[in-house]
Every structure is written in structure tokens, then in C-alpha cells.
Amino acid sequence: GAVVSQHPSRVICKSGTSVKIECRSLDFQATTMFWYRQFPKQSLMLMATSNEGSKATYEQGVEKDKFLINHASLTLSTLTVTSAHPEDSSFYICSARVGVVYNSPLHFGNGTRLTVT
Amino acid sequence: AQRVTQPEKLLSVFKGAPVELKCNYSYSGSPELFWYVQYSRQRLQLLLRHISRESIKGFTADLNKGETSFHLKKPFAQEEDSAMYYCALTLRTGTASKLTFGTGTRLQVTL
């Protein structure tokens, strides 16, 4: 089955530094990947849609300059949290769609827990 | 805007009892509804989708457009069903679609 690998699974960084999270589709090509953020005991909130070869589409209220998304290949999307602050501490999850049909199921990575000290 | 509501944060049932996880949605178009499940220490995964009209692990869900609901049901709960369940909706907007999740319901099956 389709596998999405997310790395790292945990990261601790100091306030003001930047952190990069990778999302890879291991056995399929993903023209579209999605980045979600999940606060404790809350739902997954879509942050942005990552499109291969073009600019990401950000949801309302998500800072483009703070959460940089790059989708340079059909198997890799990266999320960089720039100048991280403690309020950016959260669980970040990526997902990828197999195929291009709008209602194809999403496959999720294991998530990255970011802690900013 | 589309919205998915799961009114219960926690649902606790005894093993063998029927289960119904509620999901209501608001969307003016033709929605595609899904149920995703997250077992302890595992990633989120698809459980079932309304267009498939199938039963997965004994679970079924029927889309009721009149009540704008997509409740997840199982006649007899098993211990291994304990997990976090998310109802989700996707917009029919071609390839530029996105999945909106409800807040999730934790199902706890006890002996």
C-alpha cells in the first residue's frame, strides 16, 4: 500500500531558529500533499496544500513567510518553520493523495512533534 | 464554508454493545464523506468512504443528505475498535480539493 514517510518524528529547537520537516511518498508519486497542524486533543487543521512545481496554497490565517513549503519533486514536500517561537510548538502531519482524482483517499505520515524552547 | 461536527469527544461502550459515532456536516454542494481512524501509536488511516458503500471491520456509514449526517455504526463493539475516529469531508472542486476534519471522537471499548 501507499506509504508516506515523515521526518523527523520529533524535534526540539530553540526560539528563533528554523526547522525543516520532510514528507516523502515512498512508493507513489504525489502531485499534491497537504500539511496539517494538530493541537493537543483537537482536530487536524489544514495549513496548506503543497503542489508539485508550483506555489503552495495556504489556508486563511496561516503565515506564508513563517511556514515555507517546497514541493520540488513528485515524492517530496518540505515544511520549514522559520524563526520558530514557543507558540509554534505543535504536532505537524503531512498527507499525500494517491492519484489526481479529487476524492482519492489521503495517506498520512506519522507526524512530527515540534517543541520550541 | 464547509464544516464537520462531531458532537462527542468521548464515547465509552461495553464490548459487544452497539456503537454509533455521530457526524454532521454543513456544505451546500455535493460532499464526499470519509471516516478516518487513528489507533494508539499509529498514523491516521482511512476507514471507509461513503461512495464505496462498504463495511470495513464491521463498521458502516450511510450518508443522509436530508439530515446532513454521516454517522458511523457497528452492531457489536470490539476491544480493538478503541481508537480516535475522525469524520472528514472533501469538496468536489476538481483536483484543487481539500479534506476538512471534524474534531474527532475517542471510542473507548471496555470489558
Side-chain angles (χ1 to χ4, degrees):
Chain A
V3 177
V4 174
S5 173
Q6 193 171 337
H7 179 80
S9 56
R10 287 179 181 272
V11 59
I12 301 173
C13 70
K14 291 186 177 180
S15 188
T17 62
S18 295
V19 173
K20 180 184 284 188
I21 303 170
E22 292 186 347
C23 180
R24 293 180 185 274
S25 56
L26 295 187
D27 50 359
F28 66 100
Q29 294 183 331
T31 55
T32 305
M33 291 186 176
F34 303 87
W35 287 95
Y36 289 86
R37 182 174 180 176
Q38 186 176 33
F39 292 100
K41 299 186 179 181
Q42 293 189 31
S43 186
L44 288 80
M45 301 298 298
L46 180 64
M47 299 175 65
T49 302
S50 171
N51 304 296
E52 188 269 334
S54 64
K55 291 183 179 180
T57 304
Y58 289 81
E59 294 301 301
Q60 192 173 11
V62 177
E63 299 177 59
K64 300 179 183 181
D65 295 331
K66 182 160 191 62
F67 298 100
L68 299 179
I69 290 173
N70 184 276
H71 194 154
S73 78
L74 286 171
T75 59
L76 174 64
S77 174
T78 60
L79 168 68
T80 301
V81 183
T82 63
S83 187
H85 289 284
E87 56 265 30
D88 297 326
S89 298
S90 191
F91 195 58
Y92 294 87
I93 307 171
C94 75
S95 67
R97 171 170 290 134
V98 179
V100 298
V101 179
Y102 76 96
N103 60 355
S104 299
L106 297 186
H107 294 269
F108 288 82
N110 256 341
T112 297
R113 184 161 302 284
L114 170 63
T115 303
V116 184
T117 61
Chain B
Q2 71 281 5
R3 182 182 296 175
V4 180
T5 304
Q6 292 179 253
E8 301 144 327
K9 286 190 175 181
L10 172 67
L11 181 64
S12 186
V13 302
F14 288 110
K15 178 181 176 181
V19 174
E20 183 179 52
L21 299 169
K22 291 185 167 51
C23 172
N24 288 90
Y25 66 91
S26 61
Y27 176 56
S28 57
S30 297
E32 296 279 350
L33 276 297
F34 302 81
W35 275 99
Y36 281 81
V37 61
Q38 188 169 28
Y39 300 102
S40 180
R41 300 182 188 281
Q42 295 186 29
R43 67 188 67 198
L44 200 62
Q45 58 186 284
L46 177 69
L47 179 62
L48 54 79
R49 49 197 297 193
H50 92 270
I51 61 172
S52 299
R53 294 182 175 275
E54 56 192 346
S55 173
I56 304 293
K57 298 184 179 182
F59 285 97
T60 58
D62 291 319
L63 179 62
N64 186 323
K65 291 187 177 181
E67 295 182 357
T68 59
S69 68
F70 188 57
H71 302 327
L72 183 68
K73 299 177 183 179
K74 184 169 182 175
F76 308 104
Q78 302 297 316
E79 280 185 87
E80 55 266 29
D81 296 329
S82 295
M84 194 74 182
Y85 291 81
Y86 293 95
C87 183
L89 174 154
T90 195
L91 304 180
R92 191 189 290 262
T93 55
T95 56
S97 60
K98 59 184 181 183
L99 201 62
T100 300
F101 286 89
T103 49
T105 299
R106 180 168 298 283
L107 175 63
Q108 196 171 65
V109 181
T110 56
L111 295 175

